[in-house]
Amino acid sequence: MLRDEGIAELAVDFPADGNLFDAGMDSMAVMQLIVVAEERFGAVIGPADAGRENLETPAALARLIASKVP
């Protein structure tokens, strides 16, 4: 999803526990990511959910989205 939406330039083999911020994700990308997750998956992600601990890795992001889908 991150590659498909142009949010982050990640290698195909980017690990699920790889650090997205170290890979270049910035605050603008976080905003895009939240919009895409809401549109694509119906997830409701609030400001309190947008902390680094929920967005730092693809695995953490997947857990967040899964927990926010109605």
Side-chain angles (χ1 to χ4, degrees):
M1 174 186 80
L2 297 170
R3 275 191 311 276
D4 293 346
E5 297 292 337
I7 295 170
E9 296 292 326
L10 302 173
V12 174
D13 61 347
F14 190 82
D17 63 348
N19 189 305
L20 293 168
F21 294 101
D22 289 347
M25 192 166 76
D26 59 14
S27 59
M28 184 61 84
V30 168
M31 290 172 40
Q32 288 176 288
L33 172 79
I34 291 170
V35 169
V36 168
E38 290 178 342
E39 290 175 352
R40 187 181 274 201
F41 302 108
V44 179
I45 300 174
D49 303 315
R52 191 173 186 102
E53 67 280 356
N54 288 327
L55 305 172
E56 192 165 42
T57 68
L61 177 58
R63 284 190 300 273
L64 172 65
I65 292 171
S67 73
K68 296 300 179 174
V69 173

